[in-house]
Amino acid sequence: MNKGLIVSCQALENEPLHSSFIMGRMALAAEMGGAIGIRANGVEDILEIKKNVNLPIIGIIKKDYDNMVSYITPTVKELEALIDAKIDVIALDATINADLQLLKSLKVKYPTQQFMADISTVEEGVRAEELGFDFIGTTLVGYTEQSKGLNNFDVLEELLKKCKKPIIAEGNFDTPEKAKRAMMLGSYAVVVGGAITRPQLITKKFNDEINNF
């Protein structure tokens, strides 16, 4: 995976663009705009995206379980579904909320598969590197109890100092200026999602601003 912009093409069931066909076309638009990779949720969407673009894909499966806090590729079931789909990079929750035994088994069971750790604190990122993850992403900064109040740029800068593995900036890098700053600091790549691919959020951002005077 080259350095640069990764576009997250996701739409959950309650969102207006929830459709594998639409996500495939969204990925094509991202490729036309210069994206070097796509992050996508669910095997159906990923397979459709593969038909439309020739870009590396970071694949996840979001799944809520009653007894778990983690929801990004949280169990072996979701992991194996992504393995079977031959995803370039598989991302998992690698926070302290995740199944540690699952995280430890990844490189033992699948030594040639590339994995990305979605973390929320510097300590979790350092641990992910020790566990053998190929990429470390700031995906969950601010979204876990242990990371509430943390600044995504502060976490990013500390990870860049402490880790040797490529760091991917993800999570609220929602303007071109923030994305550029993340890359200038030394990020391997930056993932942008809602600011590009969720028109309802983009519309709300404009609407809130023009009504706030």
Side-chain angles (χ1 to χ4, degrees):
M1 187 163 61
N2 295 324
K3 295 183 178 181
L5 174 66
I6 297 167
V7 176
S8 181
C9 298
Q10 299 182 45
L12 302 178
E13 291 183 6
N14 63 337
E15 295 183 82
L17 297 191
H18 179 66
S19 159
S20 295
F21 173 79
I22 293 175
M23 289 303 102
R25 306 305 288 182
M26 192 73 78
L28 178 59
E31 183 180 44
M32 292 174 66
I36 57 89
I38 302 294
R39 181 167 164 125
N41 172 40
V43 171
E44 187 176 350
D45 282 9
I46 291 168
L47 294 179
E48 181 63 26
I49 288 169
K50 280 186 172 185
K51 295 176 185 177
N52 285 270
V53 302
N54 187 30
L55 294 174
I57 295 173
I58 298 172
I60 65 172
I61 294 178
K62 289 182 177 177
K63 178 70 175 179
D64 288 313
Y65 288 96
D66 291 339
N67 61 338
M68 296 185 72
V69 176
S70 300
Y71 63 93
I72 299 175
T73 321
T75 75
V76 173
K77 180 180 178 182
E78 291 77 41
L79 171 63
E80 291 183 345
L82 292 169
I83 292 286
D84 290 343
K86 296 180 171 56
I87 309 304
D88 301 287
V89 180
I90 295 174
L92 303 90
D93 182 326
T95 68
I96 59 171
N97 303 315
D99 181 345
L100 183 56
Q101 292 307 311
L102 173 62
L103 302 184
K104 286 181 175 180
S105 73
L106 297 176
K107 281 298 185 178
V108 175
K109 194 170 182 180
Y110 309 103
T112 61
Q113 173 67 52
Q114 290 194 315
F115 293 101
M116 174 176 167
D118 287 348
I119 58 86
S120 66
T121 67
V122 173
E123 294 76 16
E124 291 166 352
V126 171
R127 185 184 74 162
E129 181 169 75
E130 293 171 351
L131 289 170
F133 278 87
D134 302 281
F135 301 95
I136 299 166
T138 59
T139 317
L140 294 170
V141 175
Y143 293 98
T144 63
E145 284 295 324
Q146 63 271 21
S147 67
K148 283 186 176 178
L150 294 183
N151 179 278
N152 57 348
F153 277 104
D154 290 342
V155 174
L156 176 63
E157 289 190 73
E158 282 300 306
L159 286 173
L160 288 165
K161 292 176 185 176
K162 294 184 176 182
C163 296
K164 295 180 180 178
K165 293 292 180 69
I167 306 299
I168 296 178
E170 180 174 4
N172 295 311
F173 295 91
D174 54 359
T175 67
E177 293 76 19
K178 290 179 183 178
K180 180 180 179 179
R181 181 183 170 195
M183 294 299 293
M184 290 179 68
L185 287 171
S187 299
Y188 187 84
V190 58
V191 177
V192 180
I196 296 174
T197 59
R198 283 188 161 105
Q200 74 275 20
L201 299 183
I202 300 167
T203 303
K204 186 177 186 303
K205 189 174 183 178
F206 275 89
N207 194 53
D208 288 348
E209 189 66 25
I210 66 173
N211 286 298
N212 185 30
F213 65 89

